[in-house]
Amino acid sequence: MKVYAAIGHFKDNKNMVCVAMTQLTKKAFMQDCYGNEFVPYVVITELMLEKFLACTDCMEIFDQVKKLTSNYRVWNDVADYIEQCSDIISDKMEAAKKVEIL
């Protein structure tokens, strides 16, 4: 099982949040998100999170986000969220790994 994190918002709330779960495939993870009324802007794996953490400035993060989604309206918001909340994203991914082990 792989750990995935999605950055987006819940259906009736426009506040950007991150959710993380383990799942066999990205498609199955997306179905879980939609089933919980979560609208994901981007889905990242542990490898992609490592790339984001290795970025030295906001433009590198922005360029990576552009590759993840074609929704240009959210590029700035998602890049800002990743830059400011990368510790929260990594904590949620670690917690999802621990749940899988149990």
Side-chain angles (χ1 to χ4, degrees):
M1 304 254 306
K2 289 185 177 182
V3 178
Y4 295 96
I7 299 169
H9 65 87
F10 285 96
K11 190 174 182 183
D12 294 330
N13 189 348
K14 294 297 180 187
N15 293 333
M16 192 170 296
V17 295
C18 172
V19 296
M21 292 181 274
T22 56
Q23 196 52 266
L24 293 174
T25 64
K26 182 178 174 181
K27 182 179 179 180
F29 174 74
M30 296 285 285
Q31 289 174 338
D32 285 348
C33 288
Y34 293 134
N36 291 318
E37 295 189 345
F38 185 78
V39 180
Y41 295 139
V42 297
V43 175
I44 59 175
T45 62
E46 289 178 290
L47 182 62
M48 182 55 70
L49 180 63
E50 289 175 14
K51 285 183 182 179
F52 282 128
L53 295 176
C55 292
T56 56
D57 68 350
C58 59
M59 285 310 294
E60 288 181 52
I61 294 173
F62 184 79
D63 290 338
Q64 291 295 324
V65 169
K66 284 181 9 181
K67 295 176 187 174
L68 293 175
T69 181
S70 61
N71 186 354
Y72 64 89
R73 292 180 182 100
V74 298
W75 287 349
N76 285 328
D77 295 334
V78 172
D80 287 343
Y81 185 86
I82 291 171
E83 184 179 11
Q84 296 171 8
C85 302
S86 60
D87 57 336
I88 295 171
I89 299 168
S90 59
D91 288 347
K92 287 187 178 189
M93 290 181 94
E94 287 298 320
K97 271 196 247 181
K98 291 178 182 175
V99 170
E100 177 191 2
I101 293 170
L102 299 176

